[in-house]
Amino acid sequence: MNRVTTNGIELVYDTFGTPGARPFLLITGLGCQMIFTDEDLCAMLAHSGHHVVRYDNRDVGLATHLHDAPVPDVTPALTGDPVTAPYLLDDMADDAAGLLDALGWDSAHVFGVSMGGMIAQTFAIRYPERTRSLTSVMSTPSFTIGTPTDEALAALLSGSSPDRESVVASAVASARVFGSPGYPLDEERVARVAGESFDRSFDPAGWGRQFGAVIASGDRSEALRGLSVPALVIHGEDDPLIQVAGGVATADAIPGAKLLTFPGMGHDLPRPLWPEIVAAVTELTERAEGR
């Protein structure tokens, strides 16, 4: 793992593939450390001609945690009231831009999952000249579009006792709600990653600050309409956490974006779909490079 300080935040990252291949920045979701993105998927992307970088966002994993910042009360947002947060998705996109600076990349293909998709969208809006292509996966241009089912929202907001066993059990229970009904859930992997994440860092307050950033950042639909970058939107048709309307709205907002949806896919990336997802992403990045 490598460390870099940018935008007042220390980030930790690792890489897959060969320097000089197509630069590919992978951004993870709410409360998810970089290890949440499977190494085998990163290796598949690298094998397809990408130099992949995954990293811990601020407030998770081994990145800087803003312990002195308040944790927003997100309850008002559930009834449509505004929420204030100590930072926004803008700031997290600026973190990503600083990481590119540290890597010596003037631009990159940006791939974001869930909240990471929101950060990737924001990055493309703020840094269009640094965005070679944009892939937004199971995400949305606004917290109010593709809202969670009642069961998914309850699972999202459910806490657990601050011990390893309870955290792992909670992660598995949530994955049963969020996961893909058309594909078997790899509970062993979910439990392993949850345990490894707990061992690296356990900070529910950081999750709360990230969630506050998601809600307080508002609707990006209008700004997305001004993009001219090659874009791909991937979404599960059975996603209960960010329902497919979020992906449809994202694709509708970005001029020329391709929408790829999968029946039976929920709010995760089932391994059997990886070849098709990697192929679609590779087609996008090759087209963006003029190949």
Side-chain angles (χ1 to χ4, degrees):
M1 289 185 296
N2 307 278
R3 294 179 180 271
V4 62
T5 299
T6 180
N7 199 25
I9 300 292
E10 186 176 66
L11 301 177
V12 170
Y13 68 93
D14 60 8
T15 66
F16 300 80
T18 305
R22 296 189 295 282
F24 192 93
L25 186 67
L26 199 158
I27 310 175
T28 54
L30 176 63
C32 293
Q33 302 181 32
M34 66 180 188
I35 61 173
F36 189 83
T37 305
D38 197 285
E39 290 188 2
D40 289 346
L41 177 57
C42 293
M44 287 178 66
L45 288 162
H47 185 70
S48 296
H50 304 100
H51 186 199
V52 179
V53 169
R54 63 176 186 174
Y55 69 101
D56 285 334
N57 284 305
R58 61 169 67 194
D59 261 333
V60 298
L62 303 182
T64 297
H65 292 239
L66 284 76
H67 296 297
D68 294 333
V71 178
D73 179 7
V74 299
T75 306
L78 304 181
T79 57
D81 292 334
V83 169
T84 58
Y87 56 82
L88 299 174
L89 296 176
D90 286 356
D91 299 292
M92 302 181 81
D94 291 347
D95 294 345
L99 177 55
L100 260 61
D101 291 339
L103 292 166
W105 291 357
D106 61 351
S107 59
H109 300 279
V110 183
F111 178 105
V113 179
S114 194
M115 181 193 73
M118 303 174 198
I119 298 170
Q121 294 168 24
T122 305
F123 181 93
I125 292 165
R126 291 174 69 79
Y127 301 98
E129 75 286 353
R130 306 194 71 175
T131 308
R132 299 192 185 193
S133 71
L134 166 65
T135 303
S136 179
V137 184
M138 53 193 182
S139 193
T140 179
S142 170
F143 174 73
T144 62
I145 303 174
T147 53
T149 65
D150 290 343
E151 184 183 17
L153 182 61
L156 178 68
L157 298 178
S158 66
S160 67
S161 300
D163 63 88
R164 194 180 195 276
E165 183 177 356
S166 296
V167 168
V168 169
S170 178
V172 172
S174 294
R176 290 172 181 156
V177 175
F178 302 150
S180 298
Y183 299 88
L185 175 64
D186 188 349
E187 293 192 6
E188 181 179 348
R189 180 188 180 275
V190 172
R192 174 176 54 79
V193 173
E196 291 174 358
S197 296
F198 182 90
D199 295 340
R200 291 177 89 231
S201 172
F202 177 68
D203 183 12
W207 179 95
R209 287 187 289 269
Q210 287 191 347
F211 194 25
V214 167
I215 296 172
S217 292
D219 192 329
R220 290 170 296 283
S221 299
E222 191 60 36
L224 290 172
R225 292 188 180 98
L227 292 182
S228 59
V229 301
L232 171 67
V233 177
I234 299 172
H235 216 105
E237 296 177 12
D238 295 284
D239 188 334
L241 187 58
I242 299 178
Q243 296 190 70
V244 70
V248 171
T250 304
D252 285 347
I254 303 172
K258 177 181 178 180
L259 176 63
L260 178 62
T261 66
F262 293 100
M265 174 178 156
H267 202 75
D268 60 4
L269 293 174
R271 185 179 286 264
L273 293 179
W274 290 0
E276 190 169 350
I277 290 171
V278 170
V281 170
T282 302
E283 188 279 331
L284 173 74
T285 61
E286 289 182 342
R287 174 163 50 88
E289 299 278 343
R291 302 188 181 187

